[in-house]
Amino acid sequence: MTQTSPSVTGREKAVDALRELILRGDFPAGARLGEMELATRLGVSRTPVREALTRLAAEGLVELVPNRGARVSKWSVEELEGVFELRTALEPKLTALAVPKARPEDVEELDRLALRMVEVGSPGPEQDLDALVPLNREFHGRLVALAHHPALAGALASAVHAPIVLRNFHTYDETSLRRSLAHHVEIVAAVRAGDPEWARAVMTAHIRNARAVMVRAAREQENP
Amino acid sequence: MTQTSPSVTGREKAVDALRELILRGDFPAGARLGEMELATRLGVSRTPVREALTRLAAEGLVELVPNRGARVSKWSVEELEGVFELRTALEPKLTALAVPKARPEDVEELDRLALRMVEVGSPGPEQDLDALVPLNREFHGRLVALAHHPALAGALASAVHAPIVLRNFHTYDETSLRRSLAHHVEIVAAVRAGDPEWARAVMTAHIRNARAVMVRAAREQENP
DNA sequence: CGAAGCCAGATTGTGTGCAATCTAGGCCGA
DNA sequence: TCGGCCTAGATTGCACACAATCTGGCTTCG
């Protein structure tokens, strides 16, 4: 399965723009996505918007109900747990695969990202939890890309896009957040040491830690 | 992530019809899929066809190149191996999950399917390798459905749709085929015994056996 | 004779109009 | 007053028309 070529058409631009809008949280989960509204917002007609919506629906980001339009997907606690099981099954394996492929400059880049996350994530006047989101996406994204495994990466993508309902780090308690940031640093250490099993183990712990936080938050959100 | 509601719109019908056509092998891998051609064949206009193609592209069944149309996906040996790694990561887990959920009537149905496959797959005048394809899809499909795990099942779907290049059982040598059919029967035995680990192990073996056959066939196809 | 440029046919990308369907609000009857 | 029905507005589903882009073969020049 070959990756679709770079976006030049309006549809691909619409897909990317809309996905970014949703992942950034401009639309709350469950929000209605009117075709006309999106079309004017993106500056195109309804046609490419419709195709973008079908595509994002296939990715699981939006739900499409016939004759009733599109909404940003909501995730029940059960579905969220399922998504984390999927991540547990795939992401540690991808991490292990990435280790032997990482060149020194890749390790440096990961290191830079992990340390930067510790900086902006540590309590104090410099703390900026919102800045963690893009850094986190980039860290995991680079690690996955290093594995050079399109099939596993593609299957994982739908899983990491999923928990956007809780797309911020504000739900982390301080202990879990410190732990999460330390995991990143430790993963870099494992990659630098060339130890796939070490990296795999830490990534597993990392995901299970995130799972605990997210599931607790989702439960509170469902039963306030 | 909630499942999209039953197909009533022309688009959903087009998606299902086209997916079935491709999986059944009416279009060879790499075949060009003209929008107009499909539209007349399915009796709708180009619009729902285009949306069906975007969706199937997201599923990995077709490749979409901007301004150059759609083709049935081809899979390199590396990609095929990747797909089998994905199956190895997910399907045994799903099988284990299915075991405690299977009711007696589910077991009977699986048993019926497995035995029927042995019948039509065994050498002799009754052998009908083409009849194995739908039976096999149904067997694996039922097993996956029993697990009640949408996230894992969804991720797996793209993997089982993938190796359609070799969508027939004619590439199996006799030994591998017997082994494969015996795996089905043994999986049913493990489910009946309520032993998830047994089922998981046999499913793993089942996939690795298939992998060996498919990869060999794909290699021969690439270097004749 | 070979290669680069170009033109025509075909195909995809996008915009828009109309029919079908859904949602919301008011109206009527019990 | 409350519940069910019905109509009007809005929105999606589909078809079609036109513009943009690509493919393949031809011409022309070196």
Side-chain angles (χ1 to χ4, degrees):
Chain A
M1 168 180 171
T2 317
Q3 189 59 29
T4 292
S5 66
S7 338
V8 282
T9 81
R11 167 183 52 190
E12 285 299 316
K13 281 198 297 191
V15 169
D16 293 344
L18 191 49
R19 177 172 29 224
E20 203 56 29
L21 283 174
I22 296 176
L23 289 178
R24 285 169 44 116
D26 286 31
F27 297 103
R32 210 175 160 301
L33 299 171
E35 297 180 357
M36 202 92 96
E37 174 199 347
L38 295 174
T40 48
R41 179 156 185 170
L42 301 178
V44 292
S45 94
R46 280 175 54 214
T47 309
V49 169
R50 284 178 61 78
E51 307 205 342
L53 287 174
T54 17
R55 170 127 191 183
L56 293 178
E59 289 183 18
L61 267 177
V62 308
E63 270 171 64
L64 229 45
V65 183
N67 293 313
R68 291 174 54 180
R71 316 185 81 86
V72 178
S73 291
K74 292 175 88 166
W75 301 79
S76 71
V77 174
E78 288 77 20
E79 290 167 328
L80 204 59
E81 289 182 316
V83 163
F84 274 99
E85 280 176 55
L86 180 56
R87 285 190 70 180
T88 306
L90 299 181
E91 203 160 354
K93 185 179 295 248
L94 278 162
T95 305
L97 285 172
V99 169
K101 306 238 172 106
R103 298 164 306 170
E105 57 261 42
D106 299 320
V107 179
E108 286 322 302
E109 183 59 25
L110 289 172
D111 195 40
R112 202 185 60 75
L113 286 165
L115 294 180
R116 180 102 189 88
M117 289 185 78
V118 172
E119 270 180 47
V120 303
S122 296
E126 295 296 310
Q127 190 177 41
D128 180 1
L129 294 179
D130 294 318
L132 283 178
V133 179
L135 289 170
N136 190 50
R137 279 175 65 191
E138 172 135 10
F139 183 86
H140 285 264
R142 280 184 179 266
L143 213 44
V144 167
L146 278 176
H148 294 297
H149 199 307
L152 287 181
L156 179 64
S158 64
V160 295
H161 283 162
I164 51 169
V165 255
L166 309 153
R167 74 189 86 57
N168 60 66
F169 282 85
H170 296 281
T171 52
Y172 275 74
D173 59 285
E174 195 183 313
T175 309
S176 301
L177 181 57
R178 288 190 105 84
R179 191 180 289 147
S180 182
L181 300 179
H183 284 151
H184 290 149
V185 178
E186 185 173 358
I187 287 169
V188 175
V191 175
R192 184 173 276 133
D195 186 337
E197 285 310 312
W198 183 8
R200 181 204 304 264
V202 180
M203 181 56 87
T204 304
H206 184 60
I207 294 167
R208 303 311 281 192
N209 180 53
R211 175 182 177 281
V213 174
M214 300 281 189
V215 166
R216 179 175 51 73
R219 256 191 243 286
E220 283 169 8
Q221 197 169 311
E222 278 193 358
N223 318 321
Chain B
M1 166 179 171
T2 318
Q3 190 59 27
T4 292
S5 66
S7 340
V8 282
T9 80
R11 168 183 50 191
E12 285 298 317
K13 280 199 297 192
V15 170
D16 293 343
L18 192 49
R19 176 168 33 220
E20 204 55 30
L21 282 175
I22 295 175
L23 288 179
R24 285 169 43 116
D26 286 30
F27 298 104
R32 210 174 161 301
L33 298 171
E35 297 180 356
M36 201 99 94
E37 174 199 347
L38 294 174
T40 48
R41 179 159 186 169
L42 299 178
V44 292
S45 94
R46 279 177 54 212
T47 310
V49 170
R50 284 179 62 78
E51 306 203 342
L53 287 174
T54 16
R55 171 126 189 182
L56 293 179
E59 289 182 17
L61 269 177
V62 308
E63 269 171 63
L64 229 46
V65 184
N67 293 312
R68 291 175 55 182
R71 317 185 80 86
V72 178
S73 291
K74 292 175 87 166
W75 302 79
S76 70
V77 173
E78 288 77 21
E79 289 166 330
L80 203 60
E81 288 183 315
V83 163
F84 274 99
E85 279 176 55
L86 180 55
R87 283 190 72 181
T88 306
L90 299 181
E91 201 160 356
K93 186 179 294 249
L94 277 162
T95 305
L97 286 172
V99 169
K101 306 236 172 107
R103 297 164 307 170
E105 57 261 42
D106 299 320
V107 179
E108 288 321 304
E109 183 59 25
L110 289 172
D111 196 39
R112 200 184 61 73
L113 287 165
L115 294 180
R116 181 104 190 85
M117 288 187 80
V118 173
E119 271 179 48
V120 303
S122 297
E126 295 296 311
Q127 190 178 40
D128 179 1
L129 295 179
D130 294 320
L132 284 178
V133 179
L135 289 171
N136 189 52
R137 279 175 65 191
E138 172 133 11
F139 183 86
H140 285 265
R142 280 185 179 266
L143 212 44
V144 166
L146 279 176
H148 295 298
H149 199 307
L152 287 182
L156 179 63
S158 63
V160 296
H161 283 163
I164 51 168
V165 255
L166 309 153
R167 74 188 87 57
N168 61 67
F169 282 84
H170 297 279
T171 51
Y172 275 76
D173 59 285
E174 197 184 313
T175 309
S176 301
L177 181 57
R178 289 189 105 86
R179 191 181 288 147
S180 181
L181 300 179
H183 284 150
H184 290 149
V185 178
E186 184 172 358
I187 288 169
V188 175
V191 175
R192 184 174 276 132
D195 186 338
E197 285 309 315
W198 184 9
R200 182 205 303 264
V202 180
M203 182 55 87
T204 305
H206 184 60
I207 294 167
R208 302 312 280 192
N209 180 53
R211 176 183 177 281
V213 174
M214 300 281 188
V215 166
R216 181 175 51 73
R219 255 191 245 285
E220 283 169 9
Q221 197 168 312
E222 277 194 359
N223 318 323

